[in-house]
Each structure stands twice: as C-alpha cells, then as structure tokens.
Amino acid sequence: MGLWNYISQKAKGLGVTEKAPRRAALPQRDGADSRGEWLAARGPRAVPPAAGRRVKETAGQGAKTMSITASGPDCCGGLGNINYRKADLCVMTWLLHYVDPLDPSFVVAFLTIAFNPFFWNVVARWEQRTRKLSSAFGSPYLACYFLGGVILLLNVLRSHCFTQAMLSQPKMEGLDNPTTYGLGLALLGVGTVFVLSSFFALGFTGTFLGDYFGILKEARVTTFPFSVMDNPMYWGSTANYLGWGLINPALQEPWNQRHASPTGLLLTVVVALVYVVAILYEEPFTTEIYRQKAAKSHGRR
C-alpha cells in the first residue's frame, strides 16, 4: 500500500489524473422510464438509441429477440400526394389525335349508321302486324317498293356521311403503303360481289324485306353467295366500308399520298356491330315464317 500511495503522489505531481471507471450500461426497458434512466446515466447531451434497434429480453427459461420498429410515414405520402396531371395518357392522346368523337360529321355518321337498320326493322315489323302500308298503296308490292326506295336513299345518305367524317379528320400515315391500298381495293371488290350477287339472288322484294309484306319465295335462297355465308349482303356492305376506310376517299390525291382513315375504321366497327344486332333481330323471324310456309305446303300435300 505504501508503494501504491507513493506512485499516486508522483503521478499527481506530473499532472496525470486517474482515469474514471466506465459506467456499467443500464438494462434497457420499454417505455419512458427506460429512456429517462438512460439519459440520466449518459448525461444531458447523450443521444437516445434509434427506434427500431433490436433488444433482448430474458423471460422464463430462455431468451427471445424482439424487434421494436417505429412506423414511419408512407413511402409515397399517400394517394393525396399523387399528381394526376402527370399520369401517362398517351393511348388516349394517340386516339384523340386521329378521331374526334365530338366532331359534328362523326356524330352524324354514327347516327345514320345506327338509324338505318333500326328504321327498316321497325317499319317492317309494323307493316307485318298492321298491313297499313299495303293498304295505303293498295298493293304489298308497291308498299315494298316504296320502303325499298326509302332504304336506298338512307343508305346513300349513310355512305355520304361516312365519307365526310373521314375527310374531316386526320389520316394514319403509318399505313401509307401499296399493301394497305391493295387490301382496301380487294375488300371493295369482294364486298361489291357479295352485295350485288345477294341482290340478284333475292330480287328487289327479297332484298328489301318483302317477307314482312307477305311476299315470300318458294324456299329460302341457298345459292351463291348464301352457300358461302349467311347474310352476305350485310357482310359485303361491311367489307365495302372497311375497304373505303383503308384507301381514303380523297380520290383527287394519288394513291401513294393517301392514308388510311382511323375514323373510317372505327365507323366500320360500328357498322358491323349494328348489323350483328339487326341479324339477331331479323333472323328468328325469317326462319319462323319460312318454317310456317313449309309446314303449310306439307299439310296441303
């Protein structure tokens, strides 16, 4: 002990102080008490442990590790911080660049396409139930000719509105190639063949709803083009509109400066959908009246 006191006195004389012993770490506990004890032990400038550190607790026979995490704010700040003005609307922008559905010419074309089959089916069903047109004209044939003439005029108006809608809206330059132009011509040719051959096979009254006026053929027509497909006149007309949209109706321009019309292609889809609805409405009636005619003919025999 005397030697130790002597060494300590010499060290003090040289200005060397004895190093303070390290404080033992306080056990960590949850809650505010643990934080207060830790600050008291470390001093006022001490930084508390970060939230989310792992602490160990011993309970019962073994030790288990528990992770304490502090929940932070949502990474994106929630849906309220989304700027919808920066949303990618390139598809809609691309479509509206070519087709303006609010353009008056487009609206008129759409209405004429939808109106025509609606008109002739309503009038034909009304005639089939009441025979008013036949009575007014004194003959079912004259009444059928009258309705057929009105339908032809409506179809001319529809084609005119279809063309004007295409001319008033932008074209698709990506399809300005000989293949597209040739495909358009081919569709026009095939469509015209189906329409004309259907007309010659059915005749005027057969084409323009003569069966609703009581003007029936001996049996349903099954020769060309009906041997190839059902309702060839409707699908031939659809092919004509599709081909017309591909070749561009601006006939004053050379073929290599014409571009397919997205408006024409979209309106062709409308034509096809309207015809599908018309077929679903007309086909059961036509099938039934020829079934009844066949049953009557069989009964007479």
Side-chain angles (χ1 to χ4, degrees), residues 58-108:
T58 304
Q61 298 179 354
K64 63 179 181 179
T65 303
M66 180 178 65
S67 175
I68 303 174
T69 58
S71 60
D74 186 87
C75 64
C76 300
L79 295 177
N81 288 342
I82 296 178
N83 188 353
Y84 292 98
R85 296 179 181 178
K86 296 182 179 180
D88 187 4
L89 300 177
C90 59
V91 176
M92 183 62 67
T93 303
W94 177 85
L95 179 62
L96 294 179
H97 177 71
Y98 289 106
V99 180
D100 180 10
L102 299 180
D103 181 72
S105 61
F106 183 90
V107 174
V108 172

Side-chain angles (χ1 to χ4, degrees), residues 7-20:
I7 294 174
S8 298
Q9 291 175 0
K10 290 294 184 180
K12 290 179 181 180
L14 294 174
V16 179
T17 59
E18 186 177 0
K19 187 176 181 180

